[in-house]
Amino acid sequence: MNAYLEIIRPGNAVMAAIAVILMAFVGHYYALPIIICALIVFVCTGAGNTINDVFDVKIDEINKPNRPIPSGRISLENARNYAYVLFGIGVVLSLIDSYLVNSIWPSVIVIPAVIIMYLYARNFKAMPLVGNITVATLTGFCFVIAGVVIACATSSLKILFISIYLGLFALFMTLAREIVKDMEDIEGDKKEGARTFPILYGKKIPSIISIILIVVTTLMCPILYILKIFNVWYMVIMIVPIIIFLYSAYTLKLNPSEEICAKVSKNLKIAMLISFVAFVVGSFNIANIFNFL
């Protein structure tokens, strides 16, 4: 793989862009501004991954010597400049989107997000829990920026509400999963001298926080159906992730082993993906689809 493509971690960047595509389906809006929005999220995520590698170069020289920078395929200076260029492209695209939807709000969200990505790589990543919260917040931003673009283009407060809801859903569940992953990696992180939340405070407090986040997210699940924003098929599909969420919270308990944390992390990821399918299906008028068929 080309080093400049590898360093942006295209898989992660694509997954972030999928959040925007999901909002396009939910909002039934497929015009140019939402396409540009997906590109913004892809480019900025790639830039964030690149600047992460820049600041992690000494760690990667030991743990990941085959990464583009420690392997010498990209110089540190070129990688840094590459990240800045990608961030710049993301900001310019956000200004174009703001022009297209006749609102400054897309840029108002993208520019702070870019700054947060940089600060995360430079400072926040090493701060216990702060780094986890930052990652979760940026994940939620992917939904909100898409919702803002669609809302500005269509003057729909409904889609803005949905995007905030999905953003909070993604934030809470991502934060829970990030904390669980830290508990899973606790022994390896100790050897590397990391100062993660579970290393500093043990597993009990992180477990309680993760369980609370999972339960809160589970309680959020019926809201869009109760408010008649999503159809009944949303709740039918959501039964599966709700069961997985609650089972994960029960399995986690207060002093989980690394094996249990690994299973919980995997289960939460699967449940989130199923939830996203439910969001898409729930946003369509199923009766009209059947009549069309």
Side-chain angles (χ1 to χ4, degrees):
M1 184 184 295
N2 180 276
Y4 284 93
L5 179 60
E6 181 183 343
I7 199 170
I8 70 171
R9 292 183 173 87
N12 289 348
V14 168
M15 286 301 296
I18 285 175
V20 176
I21 296 170
L22 170 66
M23 284 304 306
F25 280 111
V26 171
H28 310 301
Y29 180 80
Y30 314 104
L32 181 59
I34 200 66
I35 295 172
I36 293 176
C37 184
L39 288 174
I40 291 169
V41 171
F42 179 87
V43 169
C44 288
T45 301
N49 290 333
T50 302
I51 203 67
N52 265 316
D53 276 15
V54 169
F55 284 107
D56 287 349
V57 61
K58 292 187 177 181
I59 296 174
D60 287 346
E61 284 175 352
I62 299 172
N63 297 325
K64 301 175 182 177
N66 293 324
R67 290 292 298 161
I69 299 176
S71 67
R73 287 178 290 151
I74 299 179
S75 70
L76 186 62
E77 181 179 357
N78 284 347
R80 183 182 290 108
N81 292 336
Y82 183 45
Y84 293 158
V85 169
L86 291 175
F87 278 135
I89 291 173
V91 170
V92 170
L93 287 174
S94 76
L95 293 173
I96 293 173
D97 241 6
S98 287
Y99 172 77
L100 290 175
V101 300
N102 196 30
S103 172
I104 196 175
W105 282 106
S107 297
V108 168
I109 293 177
V110 170
I111 293 173
V114 164
I115 295 171
I116 291 171
M117 286 181 183
Y118 179 83
L119 292 176
Y120 168 77
R122 192 185 71 175
N123 303 108
F124 299 160
K125 190 175 183 179
M127 297 181 183
L129 198 56
V130 174
N132 302 131
I133 293 173
T134 304
V135 170
T137 301
L138 290 170
T139 301
F141 269 12
C142 295
F143 292 92
V144 175
I145 178 61
V148 167
V149 168
I150 299 173
C152 291
T154 62
S155 300
S156 170
L157 289 178
K158 176 182 175 181
I159 193 64
L160 182 60
F161 169 77
I162 294 173
S163 71
I164 292 172
Y165 169 90
L166 296 187
L168 288 173
F169 180 93
L171 190 158
F172 292 153
M173 196 52 69
T174 300
L175 180 55
R177 187 166 178 265
E178 284 289 314
I179 294 173
V180 170
K181 285 168 62 180
D182 278 350
M183 289 191 287
E184 175 189 351
D185 298 334
I186 193 168
E187 294 303 322
D189 288 341
K190 281 181 179 178
K191 292 178 181 178
E192 294 179 10
R195 298 174 66 253
T196 63
F197 193 56
I199 288 176
L200 294 179
Y201 299 99
K203 291 182 179 180
K204 184 176 181 179
I205 295 177
S207 294
I208 292 173
I209 294 175
S210 296
I211 291 170
I212 291 173
L213 288 168
I214 293 170
V215 171
V216 168
T217 309
T218 303
L219 293 174
M220 288 175 62
C221 290
I223 291 177
L224 293 180
Y225 172 68
I226 293 172
L227 295 178
K228 298 182 179 180
I229 292 175
F230 282 172
N231 62 49
V232 67
W233 292 103
Y234 160 76
M235 279 308 303
V236 171
I237 298 173
M238 281 301 297
I239 291 173
V240 176
I242 285 173
I243 291 172
I244 296 175
F245 289 149
L246 293 177
Y247 177 74
S248 297
Y250 171 77
T251 304
L252 204 55
K253 297 181 181 178
L254 299 181
N255 190 31
S257 65
E258 292 183 19
E259 292 76 14
I260 289 176
C261 289
K263 290 180 181 179
V264 169
S265 176
K266 181 180 179 180
N267 288 340
L268 290 179
K269 184 175 183 179
I270 292 172
M272 287 177 68
L273 291 174
I274 298 173
S275 299
F276 295 157
V277 173
F279 296 145
V280 173
V281 174
S283 66
F284 284 91
N285 188 324
I286 303 298
N288 288 346
I289 294 176
F290 285 150
N291 290 335
F292 175 77
L293 296 175

